[in-house]
Amino acid sequence: LSRAPRVLPVDPDRGPAPALACGRAVLARGDVLVWFPEGRRSRTGAMAPFLPGVGVLMAGSRCAVVPAWIEGSFR
């Protein structure tokens, strides 16, 4: 199912290197990348602290960044 919209699930327990490499490749192709900086869904609905991965991608890329908030996704 994730192949049709080109969703690339990331295993947060494997460490950041594979996810960052995949993100860099997507940006290098000029494709759009949606990155959730918390790393995983919250069990309570509270926002988790941001992980540094999105900052690393932004620092190494000349891509435009559009921050967004998705309201009500927990419900």
Side-chain angles (χ1 to χ4, degrees), residues 4-68:
R6 295 170 44 175
V7 173
L8 304 169
V10 174
D11 182 356
D13 297 323
R14 287 190 61 204
L20 291 172
C22 183
R24 277 190 206 98
V26 169
L27 293 174
R29 285 194 311 261
D31 289 337
V32 173
L33 177 66
V34 176
W35 192 278
F36 295 93
E38 316 86 80
R40 61 177 67 193
R41 286 190 59 152
S42 164
R43 292 178 188 247
T44 65
M47 183 173 284
F50 286 4
L51 300 175
V54 71
V56 171
L57 286 174
M58 288 170 30
S61 172
R62 298 183 65 126
C63 67
V65 177
V66 179

